[in-house]
Amino acid sequence: MIPARLQWPVGFGVVLVAALLPFVCSSYTTSQILTRSLILGLAAASLIFLASLGGWVSLAQLGLYGVAGFTVGNLAKADGGAKVFAMDIWVASLLALVVTVLVGLLIGVIASRSEGIYFLMITLAFGVIIRLLFEKATDLSGFGGINQIIQPSLLGSAQLDPERIYWLCLAICVLVYLGVRYFARTPFGLAFQGIRDNTPRMRALGYNVTLMRTVAFGIGAFIAALAGVLNVWWNTQISPGTIDIGPVIFLLMIAIIGGLYRIEGAWVGALIYVVLDNRLRSIDVVGERVATALGIIFLLIVLLSPGGVMGIYESLSSRWRRTGVTGGATSDGDGTATPTVAGD
Amino acid sequence: MSQTETSAAESVVPILRLRGVGRRFGGVHAVRGVDLDVRAGERRAVLGPNGAGKTTLFNVIAGEFPPTEGSVELFGVDVTNKPARARVPLGVTRTFQISRLFGGLSVADNLYVSIIGAEGGHLRPIRNAKDRAYHAQARELGDRVGLGGVLDELVGALSHGEQRQLEIGMALAGDPKLIMLDEPAAGLARAERVKLTEMLLGFDRSITMILIEHDMDVALTVAEHVTMMHDGRIVVEGTPSEIRGNQLVHDLYLGKGHRNHE
């Protein structure tokens, strides 16, 4: 763990380095590795938000991401989809956020009564329903997806200015990260963690557990919606394949590789996944067997550490602090409690 | 607990009134025909062997589930079919026989969540000035139940005794009027039980206490009124000294003392 007093400087440093990367990376890397990692990381963050604070593993997050993407595609000017609205991309995107949160609340009302494996299955069912809806309703999804969604003009051209959307994604990811960290210390955030740890006690303390869970699920949907909107801005297209069961599993893998108990893990997992997905293909032995190779790497990470990469990092750094710093100077500086969520 | 104080308290309307309360679980009649009045400021112990229906009675009073027969009145309000969260604002809190804590949060945050539970603002996603006061209140409450040294520890890392203390601390959050303690001494060492007894005796007289306890020393020291349950019914009521001398109590409970005292 980074000592509390160093958290802000280290975090600032990481963001600064990330912001400067487009100057040293090729356009291809900026777009296909870095931007893609940020967007997938944001989607994974919506999953880890619910998992770390609420103890809920949701498989509906990519479906919600798709709802946002398809809503933008249908409302804005694009090739395929409803076409009748042709709204300004900003209005379309804002409406997409609203629609997705409403869908999220609706799913939340139903899913918030369940826990554990049942919650997993219910959210999986909703994920599949959303995909089937867009697959069958070709009026909404076009044949072979919605293409050429017009980007906001401030982003310039996706080919010529890949760094613009990258910076926008980076900014939004930082805001979401800070927002989630802040939320965890608010009354609602602490109560949500209370529900994770002991639901009957929360009821006895006077909390409306179902309502709180539903609203929290809506917040998770909002994060997923941000990722979904950024995805169509970046990719300028979306198809039902984007939210198929395969990508749903990959998103879960990203979250688990990163570590389900720390929100930072979302982007760590996404970067690892995207780099592997990108590089493994060019290795002869792997070729088209990318999923198999990813699966093996996933197994190795999970066997090494149930807390994912963030878990490995935590156990290594605490071992380092025990052996490296002796003589009682091991407290977190000002004695504040570490923000780690002990979910295991 | 002078005689005058007790009789003054008894002249007012009971804050808890049970009439004909029963609860079935399928074919099991866990509680039946319970009439009980508890007055403001009273210290009442509910005793009885395992399976007598004590905890079921607690759950009915706290609103964990409704009774299948009879009525529950709290502070003159009929709450028979109201859920637990509707009873908390009235000032009803409880502890659990097996600690139900938030293992992933610190001691101070456990108490903070308990205070918010009573004070409201459950869905507030921003911190404001009130929170600083609540956090301070939580730390002060932690001090009061003897957890001042571990306020920032994660609850999952506490000892059993400390977790039991926190159980009581959480029930004391937010100015309760009626506090229900379900076997607070369970699993405590002798020295810890003495400390617990002192803590319970030190409760403010404005707090009414109902206590389920297997440890006779703790129960009969703290309580002024004792209700003895057996097979879901109330079989004896009286003062601690009457209970000590009661033959039925001896037969039901103290006779099997070795098993029940563990």
Side-chain angles (χ1 to χ4, degrees):
Chain A
M1 280 301 306
I2 302 166
R5 75 193 121 84
L6 284 182
Q7 273 182 9
W8 282 102
V10 167
F12 184 75
V14 168
V15 172
L16 190 69
V17 168
L20 294 175
L21 280 177
F23 294 113
V24 292
C25 295
S26 66
S27 314
Y28 175 82
T29 308
T30 301
S31 177
Q32 294 304 314
I33 304 280
L34 300 178
T35 308
R36 192 171 164 224
S37 298
L38 286 177
I39 293 171
L40 277 177
L42 191 56
S46 80
L47 198 158
I48 295 183
F49 164 74
L50 294 174
S52 65
L53 300 181
W56 261 351
V57 178
S58 162
L59 294 180
Q61 300 313 105
L62 198 69
L64 292 164
Y65 165 100
V67 168
F70 276 112
T71 309
V72 173
N74 278 289
L75 295 181
K77 254 183 254 170
D79 182 10
K83 282 187 184 170
V84 288
F85 301 104
M87 290 178 185
D88 178 69
I89 182 74
W90 290 98
V91 179
S93 302
L94 219 62
L95 283 174
L97 295 179
V98 174
V99 167
T100 310
V101 169
L102 290 178
V103 173
L105 288 173
L106 195 71
I107 297 176
V109 167
I110 297 161
S112 60
R113 287 159 207 283
S114 62
E115 282 173 47
I117 190 77
Y118 303 102
F119 180 81
L120 195 83
M121 295 316 290
I122 286 178
T123 52
L124 176 64
F126 277 112
V128 171
I129 289 169
I130 291 170
R131 180 185 65 88
L132 284 175
L133 174 79
F134 285 117
E135 194 177 273
K136 301 297 174 198
T138 45
D139 284 346
L140 292 176
S141 63
F143 290 97
I146 303 176
N147 297 299
Q148 286 163 15
I149 298 165
I150 307 295
Q151 288 179 308
S153 53
L154 82 99
L155 294 178
S157 144
Q159 282 74 43
L160 298 177
D161 316 300
E163 70 282 353
R164 290 201 192 175
I165 182 123
Y166 170 73
W167 282 326
L168 178 71
C169 289
L170 182 64
I172 288 178
C173 287
V174 169
L175 287 178
V176 166
Y177 172 75
L178 293 175
V180 169
R181 290 286 299 262
Y182 175 84
F183 175 80
R185 299 295 309 161
T186 63
F188 188 2
L190 282 166
F192 190 40
Q193 294 171 74
I195 294 171
R196 170 198 67 198
D197 287 351
N198 203 309
T199 313
R201 167 66 90 171
M202 289 301 282
R203 291 210 176 86
L205 286 173
Y207 287 92
N208 185 340
V209 168
T210 312
L211 175 69
M212 300 192 72
R213 280 181 157 169
T214 303
V215 177
F217 197 83
I219 298 174
F222 176 72
I223 300 174
L226 283 174
V229 168
L230 286 174
N231 178 50
V232 292
W233 285 9
W234 167 68
N235 214 355
T236 68
Q237 65 93 30
I238 184 167
S239 69
T242 310
I243 55 172
D244 207 345
I245 188 79
V248 167
I249 299 300
F250 281 128
L251 188 68
L252 179 64
M253 268 175 60
I254 287 172
I256 293 175
I257 288 175
L260 277 178
Y261 309 119
R262 290 185 67 96
I263 194 81
E264 296 90 334
W267 290 280
V268 175
L271 184 63
I272 292 174
Y273 168 78
V274 169
V275 169
L276 287 175
D277 184 45
N278 210 277
R279 294 282 179 254
L280 286 176
R281 274 174 220 282
S282 54
I283 302 171
D284 272 351
V285 210
V286 181
E288 287 305 300
R289 293 181 281 270
V290 176
T292 312
L294 279 172
I296 293 170
I297 293 167
F298 172 72
L299 270 180
L300 284 177
I301 292 179
V302 172
L303 285 175
L304 256 171
S305 159
V309 174
M310 293 308 292
I312 296 175
Y313 159 74
E314 268 175 26
S315 60
L316 282 182
S317 62
S318 69
R319 190 175 309 166
W320 174 78
R321 279 200 302 149
R322 270 201 304 274
T323 54
V325 190
T326 46
T330 50
S331 82
D332 274 4
D334 52 16
T336 42
T338 54
T340 320
V341 177
D344 39 1
Chain B
M1 49 164 188
S2 71
Q3 208 53 47
T4 48
E5 218 178 303
T6 314
S7 52
E10 272 172 0
S11 62
V12 294
V13 188
I15 60 163
L16 170 68
R17 184 199 288 267
L18 304 181
R19 285 294 174 268
V21 165
R23 172 74 204 193
R24 288 173 188 274
F25 296 101
V28 181
H29 215 155
V31 168
R32 50 183 126 184
V34 168
D35 293 336
L36 184 68
D37 285 345
V38 177
R39 289 173 172 74
E42 197 173 308
R43 272 91 177 96
R44 164 89 56 162
V46 179
L47 304 182
N50 289 325
K54 308 182 294 294
T55 296
T56 303
L57 188 65
F58 255 37
N59 285 334
V60 167
I61 298 171
E64 193 111 328
F65 41 69
T68 39
E69 303 120 38
S71 66
V72 181
E73 247 180 54
L74 283 166
F75 308 97
V77 183
D78 184 354
V79 295
T80 310
N81 290 305
K82 296 251 170 71
R85 78 181 128 84
R87 304 184 191 200
V88 173
L90 297 173
V92 180
T93 64
R94 69 171 299 184
T95 69
F96 292 88
Q97 196 173 343
I98 296 160
S99 300
R100 289 186 171 175
L101 309 169
F102 311 127
L105 297 179
S106 70
V107 171
D109 286 345
N110 269 258
L111 293 165
Y112 170 81
V113 170
S114 310
I115 291 170
I116 294 288
E119 298 289 344
H122 300 174
L123 284 172
R124 184 155 48 83
I126 47 163
R127 291 197 289 257
N128 63 22
K130 271 194 272 177
D131 287 311
R132 209 165 306 136
Y134 290 149
H135 277 296
Q137 217 176 311
R139 301 184 80 84
E140 188 259 334
L141 180 56
D143 259 341
R144 223 177 346 133
V145 294
L147 295 171
V150 290
L151 287 172
D152 293 314
E153 300 284 324
L154 285 185
V155 165
L158 296 186
S159 72
H160 176 77
E162 288 167 329
Q163 294 195 349
R164 298 305 291 170
Q165 279 162 273
L166 181 56
E167 270 284 322
I168 295 172
M170 287 168 78
L172 282 172
D175 277 332
K177 295 193 178 65
L178 170 63
I179 184 168
M180 301 196 289
L181 306 171
D182 195 347
E183 291 194 38
L188 294 188
R190 183 173 293 276
E192 291 173 320
R193 272 181 285 169
V194 172
K195 251 180 27 188
L196 173 77
T197 310
E198 277 167 18
M199 192 201 294
L200 297 184
L201 285 171
F203 276 15
D204 194 282
R205 286 309 297 198
S206 67
I207 302 174
T208 308
M209 185 199 308
I210 310 178
L211 172 76
I212 293 178
E213 189 48 70
H214 274 305
D215 186 306
M216 282 291 183
D217 289 338
V218 176
L220 298 183
T221 310
V222 174
E224 297 152 3
H225 298 270
V226 179
T227 298
M228 180 84 194
M229 288 183 76
H230 181 57
D231 260 351
R233 297 174 203 273
I234 293 178
V235 287
V236 182
E237 284 197 82
T239 63
S241 54
E242 286 165 1
I243 291 294
R244 270 186 232 273
N246 188 295
Q247 190 54 46
L248 181 62
V249 173
H250 275 266
D251 291 348
L252 279 177
Y253 204 161
L254 302 182
K256 293 184 277 182
H258 290 296
R259 224 186 305 157
N260 285 317
H261 273 97
E262 272 143 347

